[in-house]
Amino acid sequence: MSSLNPVEPFDLIIFGGTGDLAMRKLLPAIYRRDEAGQLPDPSRIIGIARAPMEVSEFQQRLYSALNKYLGADPDETVWRRFSSRLSYLDLDVTDKTAQNWRGLHTLLEADANPVRAAYLSVSPRIYGAIASGLSANNLVTDDMRLVLEKPIGIDQDSANAINEAVGRYFNENQIFRIDHYLGKETVQNLLALRFGNAIFEPLWRREVIDHVQITVAEELGVGNRVEFYEHIGALKDMVQNHLLQLVCLVAMEPPVSLDVDAVRSEKIKVLKALKPISGADVLTQTVRGQYRAGAVDGVAVDGYEDELTEASNTETYVALKLEIENWRWSGTPFYLRTGKRLPEKRSEIVIRFKPVPHSIFSGLQPNGLRISLQPDEGVKLTTMVKEPGPGGFELEAKDLDLSFAEAFGGATYPDAYERLIIEVLRGNPTLFMHRDEVAWAWRFIDNITEGWQNEGQKVEKYFAGSWGPHGASNLLDRDGRAWQADL
Ligand code: BG6
């Protein structure tokens, strides 16, 4: 995974090349890597979408997108180099005929670069059609990489169908399923923290840890993705992938090496050990919320339903209590919550330790390890210390505070997509999901969705700018616990 491993010249085809993700994240990420001098010549980037367009227009759109999402006009020299790598082709991917694919065929076969990758930033419904079109037109090379964006399906069956469909033309080791949280610096640091330090492992177990909290809070609302979101909701959009991946990294056993199979198989064991939440249990172990109009950062914002023409029972917030049935974690609950239109963007994992067995002081609080994933990456260990002075033993909770920004001299980290795209080009699948991970995660989620349907569980409204519905506080309150103070 060293950043020093060179990237070989590549041909990267982006299906959905003019779409929101490509313009907002993928192409800016590749531009950034070019800016950092990491893209070898004569690498090429081929944008594909349905609408006919001159390459100059594609370049123009991208120039504006870079300005918008990187916050400034691109550097002139870098832009000249980067834009010269770009091509654009219109293609109806559902039509397999050679005539339809001729443009791509001609482009790829002339001066083919050693590495070929196709990034599918389109609806998962057409993943199979694209894989089949590439294959029928002899464009799949032996070590070509196929990158699949989430969501892989909307349930276990549809995910299996997608994996079968692409698996007909690509081997599992050629398929890179993206969960961009795995490309985040601090998410990778979880592995470093747990397995690069001897002090945590003896504490990492049910006897010492009272419970774990995982929060992924967003300020943003659903915005212009409302149509997509109506069919998905927070459980499938965030928990099935990002939050469950975080659960895996916190809960997994130490892998024997950093080898991709070693890490994946430990993660899969965690997913298999999740106690299903099904039937009426959803009513006590899950909370669905939906934001109503309110104010975020002092600015008035609409409610979720205001963007729709009719009432909706889609959750923009979800909280749940999950249990892992194995020796390490049995009896130590994991509380998860994620939502849109919360007061701030903040992702963090809090490990809450048990109280001291016998207290000789008053006012003790249990220790907590707070791992901040974004925006301020760092680790804090809440520790009880004596207040200075002659006034007797007054104890106060203070943090041992490791801020990554301070520790690494204000270094800025590349966006998760920058790292992930480079790993695709290098052919390193460690940071990507195996099809079994996707399937096991869906299995857990499908039980909940089925429970919600059968039990008619409704969303509970919360004000935009608040920390979510009351039900989410009650979820912990019932167990005599509370969400770590919402800072
Ligand atoms: C995406 C979800 O996967 O992750 C979005 O589809 C969400 O709804 C986004 O906003 C959050 O990512 P990040 O990196 O901003 O935490």
Side-chain angles (χ1 to χ4, degrees), residues 25 149-150 180-181 184 216 218 220 225 228-229 237-238 241-242 340 345 347 374 417:
K25 287 284 185 184
E149 254 301 328
K150 70 162 262 279
H180 77 276
Y181 269 53
K184 288 186 190 275
V216 176
E218 295 185 82
L220 289 179
R225 295 162 77 222
F228 157 81
Y229 206 82
D237 184 41
M238 298 296 288
N241 33 78
H242 307 324
K340 300 212 180 275
K345 185 169 176 67
S347 302
Q374 58 187 20
Y417 277 102

Side-chain angles (χ1 to χ4, degrees), residues 58-280:
F58 181 56
Q59 287 166 333
Q60 192 47 50
R61 283 195 195 191
L62 182 53
Y63 191 90
S64 312
L66 290 175
N67 174 293
K68 182 165 171 193
Y69 298 114
L70 300 180
D73 271 345
D75 173 88
E76 210 179 307
T77 319
V78 182
W79 170 249
R80 207 174 309 123
R81 183 169 71 225
F82 184 69
S83 58
S84 73
R85 304 185 191 284
L86 297 172
S87 316
Y88 177 83
L89 291 170
D90 59 290
L91 179 59
D92 173 6
V93 296
T94 56
D95 170 2
K96 272 201 277 191
T97 59
Q99 191 191 359
N100 183 41
W101 288 74
R102 184 165 304 134
L104 184 58
H105 197 275
T106 311
L107 195 65
L108 283 178
E109 296 300 291
D111 307 322
N113 275 311
V115 171
R116 181 173 297 178
Y119 198 120
L120 309 197
S121 173
V122 290
S123 162
R125 282 195 301 275
I126 55 173
Y127 285 175
I130 296 178
S132 152
L134 286 166
S135 166
N137 289 283
N138 298 321
L139 294 174
V140 181
T141 52
D142 283 350
D143 73 342
M144 176 175 180
R145 288 127 222 196
L146 186 73
V147 188
L148 306 184
E149 254 301 328
K150 70 162 262 279
I152 313 279
I154 49 164
D155 54 22
Q156 196 184 356
D157 289 344
S158 54
N160 287 346
I162 289 169
N163 286 327
E164 291 296 326
V166 296
R168 264 178 232 129
Y169 312 102
F170 290 84
N171 297 324
E172 180 61 25
N173 63 8
Q174 292 178 278
I175 302 174
F176 290 68
R177 295 182 192 79
I178 293 246
D179 180 320
H180 77 276
Y181 269 53
L182 296 179
K184 288 186 190 275
E185 190 69 41
T186 344
V187 174
Q188 297 180 12
N189 241 316
L190 266 175
L191 291 177
L193 188 77
R194 287 197 56 199
F195 307 124
N197 294 286
I199 57 168
F200 294 113
E201 178 53 22
L203 305 177
W204 221 254
R205 57 195 170 89
R206 61 189 299 278
E207 291 83 355
V208 190
I209 295 178
D210 180 70
H211 71 278
V212 176
Q213 300 182 9
I214 301 182
T215 299
V216 176
E218 295 185 82
E219 264 186 4
L220 289 179
V222 171
N224 57 10
R225 295 162 77 222
V226 69
E227 212 176 298
F228 157 81
Y229 206 82
E230 246 321 80
H231 293 108
I232 292 283
L235 183 71
K236 296 182 181 187
D237 184 41
M238 298 296 288
V239 181
Q240 190 271 344
N241 33 78
H242 307 324
L243 277 90
L244 286 184
Q245 283 291 325
L246 296 179
V247 170
C248 286
L249 294 174
V250 173
M252 72 190 212
E253 294 301 314
V256 290
S257 71
L258 258 193
D259 176 68
V260 57
D261 292 329
V263 175
R264 279 174 171 176
S265 76
E266 293 307 337
K267 281 163 53 186
I268 290 170
K269 283 185 208 161
V270 174
L271 293 169
K272 285 184 180 172
L274 295 180
K275 183 173 177 190
I277 306 177
S278 54

Side-chain angles (χ1 to χ4, degrees), residues 350-368:
V350 174
I351 314 285
R352 228 23 185 153
F353 293 94
K354 293 203 164 160
V356 297
H358 168 67
S359 175
I360 56 171
F361 303 107
S362 60
L364 280 191
Q365 289 175 31
N367 301 111

Side-chain angles (χ1 to χ4, degrees), residues 403-412:
S403 147
F404 290 2
E406 276 172 31
F408 293 99
T412 51

Side-chain angles (χ1 to χ4, degrees), residues 213-216 346-350 370-373 484:
Q213 300 182 9
I214 301 182
T215 299
V216 176
R346 164 177 293 279
S347 302
E348 65 181 18
I349 297 167
V350 174
R370 183 194 287 256
I371 305 165
S372 298
L373 307 178
Q484 177 77 25

